[in-house]
């Protein structure tokens, strides 16, 4: 991706980064929503794994918080950006 944006202005690169973060947030929000519904369905039907009979809803319960946290982080990056680029360049030199 950097190959296509290397010659773009800094402002364009920052806007594209923010757009990418927003798209990640949207995709993760969709996954969070659908995983939550899947977990509720697994809880209602009390389905379990085939061999051990481990309840499936527990697995869904463990997946939802990290997905939701990913949504929050991506939204913060989409709104605030990825930090001050000029400061990063100065400290890198």
């Amino acid at each position: 991706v950097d190959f296509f944006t290397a010659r773009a202005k800094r402002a364009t690169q920052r806007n594209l980064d923010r757009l990418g973060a927003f798209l990640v947030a949207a995709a993760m929000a969709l996954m969070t929503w659908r995983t939550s519904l899947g977990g509720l369905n697994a809880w209602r039907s009390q389905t379990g794994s085939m061999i051990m009979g481990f309840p499936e809803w527990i697995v869904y319960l463990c997946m939802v918080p990290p997905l939701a946290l990913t949504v929050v982080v991506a939204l913060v990056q989409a709104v605030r950006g990825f930090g001050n680029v000029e400061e990063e360049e100065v400290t890198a030199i």
Side-chain angles (χ1 to χ4, degrees):
V1 175
D2 288 340
F3 176 77
F4 297 106
T5 60
R7 295 186 183 176
K9 294 179 183 178
R10 285 276 185 214
T12 303
Q13 290 175 352
R14 281 189 227 119
N15 289 335
L16 288 173
D17 286 343
R18 286 181 172 190
L19 175 64
F22 180 75
L23 292 175
V24 167
M28 290 295 126
L30 180 65
M31 289 178 65
T32 303
W33 171 54
R34 295 306 300 174
T35 302
S36 299
L37 292 179
L40 287 172
N41 187 36
W43 181 70
R44 283 190 207 119
S45 64
Q46 292 297 309
T47 56
S49 63
M50 291 186 116
I51 296 175
M52 295 179 60
F54 188 76
E56 287 181 4
W57 68 268
I58 295 174
V59 177
Y60 284 98
L61 180 69
C62 292
M63 288 191 305
V64 171
L67 288 171
L69 181 62
T70 305
V71 172
V72 171
V73 170
L75 284 175
V76 168
Q77 289 177 338
V79 172
R80 293 186 181 176
F82 291 89
N84 193 346
V85 177
E86 289 75 24
E87 282 185 12
E88 291 173 6
E89 290 175 0
V90 170
T91 58
I93 297 174

